[in-house]
Amino acid sequence: YMLNNRSSKSMGDSKPEYRMFRNRPIFKGGATNRGSSFTMLHRKGGFPENRALRVLPGPENIEYKLYFSPDIAMANELCMTKDATPEEFKFFEWASVWSPKQLEQEYDKKMWLTIKAPSDVIFDDNQAPFPLWSRIVASLPHDLLRPKK
């Protein structure tokens, strides 16, 4: 999912029945409207349809605590009972999709920059004055971004 491409819609525009999320923004997860076109990312275990979000390349034996799930009704209920807050969920329409092995090949060609960052940055909705990607790249050591001579 693209993390910082905020759409002009909020949950109140698209899914007003989920009262706890009416003010939450919706992000454009990518350019492809394929399959399930609406989902959420979160860090809450116990959802019946939770799927761990795995990224490439992943260290062996790491426990992933980031999930994506379509169960917005359960998330809304968790917020209503104060077992969660609306800010613990991020909503996306559409997704970024690759053909089989395409992402691995692009990664091998160094088309992607993989960095370690706390999962809190995923839930950072602050778009101003500097977007999420700009803040993350600015925090990296300069020698990581400059080619070695």
Side-chain angles (χ1 to χ4, degrees):
Y1 296 96
M2 295 175 4
L3 300 177
N4 62 345
N5 194 1
R6 188 182 229 159
S7 77
S8 60
K9 295 187 247 176
S10 71
M11 287 293 285
D13 298 326
S14 293
K15 309 250 183 225
E17 65 273 24
Y18 301 115
R19 292 183 353 190
M20 299 304 294
F21 298 123
R22 285 187 182 154
N23 295 326
R24 297 294 295 148
I26 296 175
F27 290 79
K28 295 177 185 176
T32 306
N33 186 6
R34 205 184 286 174
S36 176
S37 64
F38 195 88
T39 194
M40 66 181 173
L41 286 177
H42 62 91
R43 292 180 278 193
K44 295 290 183 185
F47 279 63
E49 296 183 38
N50 259 359
R51 288 182 280 171
L53 182 66
R54 305 200 75 153
V55 293
L56 295 173
E60 297 298 320
N61 301 320
I62 188 168
E63 184 179 356
Y64 290 89
K65 298 260 185 190
L66 188 61
Y67 304 99
F68 62 101
S69 171
D71 197 346
I72 302 168
M74 184 173 179
N76 188 68
E77 183 66 28
L78 284 173
C79 291
M80 289 177 72
T81 60
K82 307 249 187 270
D83 291 315
T85 64
E87 293 76 24
E88 293 179 90
F89 300 89
K90 191 161 188 170
F91 301 95
F92 296 89
E93 59 183 359
W94 298 20
S96 298
V97 179
W98 288 266
S99 59
K101 302 288 181 189
Q102 178 185 355
L103 184 57
E104 291 94 335
Q105 291 168 356
E106 290 178 7
Y107 192 82
D108 288 343
K109 292 178 183 176
K110 306 219 183 286
M111 296 171 73
W112 294 97
L113 174 64
T114 303
I115 61 169
K116 289 182 181 180
S119 61
D120 291 344
V121 300
I122 291 171
F123 299 95
D124 181 358
D125 295 339
N126 183 15
Q127 295 293 301
F130 301 105
L132 175 63
W133 177 247
S134 298
R135 292 193 313 264
I136 291 172
V137 170
S139 72
L140 297 174
H142 294 293
D143 61 337
L144 181 65
L145 299 175
R146 291 191 186 124
K148 294 182 181 177
K149 295 182 182 189

